[in-house]
Amino acid sequence: TARLNGLIAATYTPMNTDGDLELAQVAPLVERLLDDGVQGLYVCGSTGEGMSLSTAERKATTEAFITANAGRVPLIVQVGHNSLADARDLAQHAAQAGADIVSATCPSYFKANDIPTLVECIADIAAAAPNTPFYYYHIPGMTGSTIDIVRLLEAGIEQVPNLVGLKYTDTKLFEFQACQAVADGKLDIVFGCDEMLLGALATGATAAIGSTYNVIAPIYLRIIEAFVKNDLTAAREEQMRSIEFIRLMNTYPFHSGIKEMLRLQGVPMGRCRLPQQQLTSEQCSTLKQDLQDLGL
Ligand code: NAY
């Protein structure tokens, strides 16, 4: 089974000022992330605006990241779609293009309201790339799914042969821990809430996927390092820096703000697509100042 380790960046998808793909910027982003100590790439997830891209754009983005990464770190492609036919097409494409792992959300417009139906959806997507490890992407805040994730895992382990992991993007640490217990080493359970990484480490997390690992990975590496040395005071201090940063970014259109921060750091990512708002020029200048005030 696949096992992810350390920080996995949920990558931004570079666009120009019109919101069209600017895939030449993928390589510099990947270099920057690997230099920062990121140990994996999660492509076309929430952060990468996967749901705001066409299927053709998702394939092109996937190929650009696979080429830029050139096999250096595990690369996961998120293929969730309201059309399961498109999800299957994307899964098959990702596997053929050389992705290490396929991952998908559930369909979220019409909901899978019971566990057997959701398992059927997951099995359908995972079977499109039967030899590629599959991680289910649990992000109830976005999908609106109310299915009990712990019970879903129990059923999924039985019924989906290539289900080997879960991306747990919620804030319930007790539930995250219960997922690990149910997985019992058979599934890799990865945490997705950056501002709670320290708590997740305490429950046994060994990998985390998130948006802010694109810009402040060194802070999180220090959290992990301090945790391993049992220096919880230092670990808490570093986590608090991440919390302050995320609280600040939440006063802006969040992902557009991080794209602007990447631009300030020399890796321009352009704008986000609607319905995510772009920053006004006024917001661009206050963000620059706010980041300086945080020492970033
Ligand atoms: C993805 O697919 O882009 C992710 O991994 C998203 C993870 C993010 N969670 C949500 C709800 O979007 O990184 C987190 C999040 O942006 C961070 O914790 C700040 O709140």
Side-chain angles (χ1 to χ4, degrees):
T1 62
R3 197 164 270 286
L4 296 169
N5 252 300
L7 303 178
I8 320 291
T11 54
Y12 282 90
T13 299
M15 295 175 189
N16 63 23
T17 45
D18 293 328
D20 296 326
L21 295 186
E22 192 68 55
L23 295 178
Q25 285 304 109
V26 166
L29 175 64
V30 169
E31 291 316 309
R32 152 68 198 276
L33 295 175
L34 299 197
D35 282 352
D36 265 8
V38 159
Q39 291 183 66
L41 304 168
Y42 191 87
V43 176
C44 290
S46 315
T47 303
E49 298 172 81
M51 303 303 186
S52 303
L53 305 178
S54 70
T55 294
E57 287 174 326
R58 288 170 73 164
K59 290 181 181 176
T61 303
T62 295
E63 288 167 17
F65 274 97
I66 289 173
T67 302
N69 178 44
R72 287 176 288 175
V73 294
L75 188 147
I76 308 111
V77 178
Q78 199 287 118
V79 304
H81 202 292
N82 277 320
S83 155
L84 283 182
D86 279 57
R88 288 195 301 269
D89 180 23
L90 286 166
Q92 198 173 27
H93 169 268
Q96 273 167 6
D100 300 291
I101 294 169
V102 165
S103 178
T105 57
C106 53
S108 62
Y109 187 77
F110 293 123
K111 315 268 187 270
N113 288 320
D114 56 78
I115 288 177
T117 306
L118 184 48
V119 171
E120 209 181 325
C121 294
I122 294 170
D124 189 45
I125 304 169
N131 301 316
T132 304
F134 182 87
Y135 280 55
Y136 177 59
Y137 183 4
H138 177 64
I139 180 160
M142 290 295 189
T143 62
S145 172
T146 55
I147 298 290
D148 182 329
I149 186 63
V150 180
R151 289 181 48 224
L152 177 79
L153 286 187
E154 285 169 342
I157 290 169
E158 295 291 312
Q159 295 170 49
V160 185
N162 56 333
L163 176 69
V164 301
L166 174 75
K167 168 163 153 39
Y168 181 90
T169 305
D170 201 356
T171 55
K172 300 174 193 156
L173 280 178
F174 62 89
E175 192 179 63
F176 176 68
Q177 186 172 347
C179 287
Q180 294 177 70
V182 158
D184 193 24
K186 290 194 281 290
L187 298 183
D188 185 20
I189 312 293
V190 179
F191 195 62
C193 178
D194 313 2
E195 54 275 69
M196 224 181 261
L197 177 64
L198 177 56
L201 292 173
T203 73
T206 53
I209 302 174
S211 58
T212 66
Y213 308 146
N214 286 274
V215 279
I216 55 167
I219 291 179
Y220 297 101
L221 291 175
R222 290 198 291 272
I223 295 175
I224 295 169
E225 195 190 355
F227 177 78
V228 169
K229 287 197 294 205
N230 212 10
D231 183 354
L232 290 183
T233 305
R236 269 182 219 124
E237 265 172 36
E238 294 295 339
Q239 184 71 78
M240 199 57 221
R241 294 186 68 202
S242 123
I243 293 168
E244 277 169 6
F245 169 68
I246 290 168
R247 285 173 56 82
L248 168 69
M249 297 315 289
N250 277 323
T251 68
Y252 292 91
F254 185 87
H255 291 302
S256 302
I258 297 192
K259 277 186 159 180
E260 170 63 11
M261 184 175 177
L262 281 163
R263 188 186 71 79
L264 292 169
Q265 296 176 343
V267 199
M269 288 289 114
R271 56 170 291 177
C272 287
R273 285 188 179 172
L274 283 171
Q276 297 194 80
Q277 284 292 348
Q278 28 181 347
L279 265 54
T280 62
S281 47
E282 157 93 38
Q283 283 176 316
C284 289
S285 34
T286 58
L287 177 61
K288 190 173 178 192
Q289 186 59 52
D290 288 343
L291 291 172
Q292 271 169 18
D293 293 348
L294 281 185
L296 295 169

